[in-house]
Amino acid sequence: MSRVQFSKELVERLNDTEAVTVLTGAGVSAESGVPTFRDPGGIWEKFKPEQLANFEAFMSDPDFVWSWYQHRREIMRDVKPNPGHYALAEMEKYFAVFNLITQNIDNLHHRAGSKKVIELHGNIERNYCIKCRKHFDDIDICRKQVLKCDCGGLIRPDVVWFGEALPYNALKNAEECSRNCGVFFSIGTSAEVYPAASLPLVAKQHYSYVVEINPKRTAHSELMDEVIEGRSGEVLPELLNFIKLNKIEK
Ligand code: OAD
């Protein structure tokens, strides 16, 4: 017996559409033990983004910024995907077109088995040299100091910092997927950081049915076609069961 109620309209839309787009934020990884940014006790309550997540801060004290990212890497390597990540990975199978866009850098969607993930803010498991742009995947996680590339350039995490542009192709793909879907889910994001927060609005402008899944209301709740109040680790497995029953029987 499902504890989450899905509306009749969502049921019909999911049955009728072949294209679903999902946008995820830090809340999707909260049940795995990765802290969010803006909830009470969140990352930006304890640390100042301008000291840690921008290029000027990195250039003025690279070891400090690097050690903070190493600390976050260690947290993320110790956690596991939760039922919400696994449900999204399995949902791919039930739609001809299923696009997963994430603001998260923790790699948990990949680790849960999602095959195609559009990473808007980068990935903490990747790094690159700021001078020659060479990529480094396996940086020793015990290192507390920043590393240098053979060319002499500093190696930085491949994440988007404040004031930096999002990866061009990722954003372009994300916008296209948001324009071309029958149902759009915005899950575990406060919808406060643009341009990611514009994607549900793009979807709505293009007549998609837009659904928010979050235990709390957000800046966008009023604009949604449907708000499902709940944790993604609980709601998404129920949504998957619902989709399985309906899509298989079709
Ligand atoms: P936020 O910390 O701003 O928002 C997290 C959202 O997750 C909130 O709306 C919570 O209510 C919700 N939430 C908490 N627990 C949840 C759960 N179990 N299930 C579902 N939702 C839950 O995180 P983001 O919106 O992802 O950017 O933040 C966007 C960007 O701001 C991040 O990617 C990061 C940050 O600065 C960069 O670092 C570039």
Side-chain angles (χ1 to χ4, degrees), residues 25-27 30-31 36-39 44 103 121 160 162 188-190 193 214-216 218 231-232:
E31 287 155 89
T36 62
F37 293 92
R38 295 174 184 80
D39 286 310
W44 295 151
Q103 297 166 86
H121 292 168
V160 175
F162 284 89
T189 176
S190 60
V193 175
N214 198 310
K216 288 191 207 145
T218 74
R231 295 156 157 235
S232 49

Side-chain angles (χ1 to χ4, degrees), residues 33-52 64 68 71-72 75:
V34 182
T36 62
F37 293 92
R38 295 174 184 80
D39 286 310
I43 292 174
W44 295 151
E45 201 175 275
K46 294 189 195 135
F47 301 100
K48 289 198 169 111
E50 58 274 21
Q51 284 179 332
L52 293 161
F64 177 67
W68 188 68
H71 166 68
R72 291 193 65 201
I75 293 177

Side-chain angles (χ1 to χ4, degrees), residues 80-121:
K80 293 190 172 62
N82 65 55
H85 295 108
Y86 288 115
L88 286 173
E90 207 179 330
M91 232 175 258
E92 275 180 6
K93 295 182 202 153
Y94 296 92
F95 298 92
V97 181
F98 186 87
N99 289 294
L100 178 54
I101 307 164
T102 190
Q103 297 166 86
N104 300 343
I105 60 171
D106 56 27
N107 210 29
L108 288 176
H109 286 304
H110 281 120
R111 283 170 55 194
S114 284
K115 292 195 183 64
K116 211 180 81 190
V117 184
I118 301 174
E119 293 173 326
L120 286 181
H121 292 168

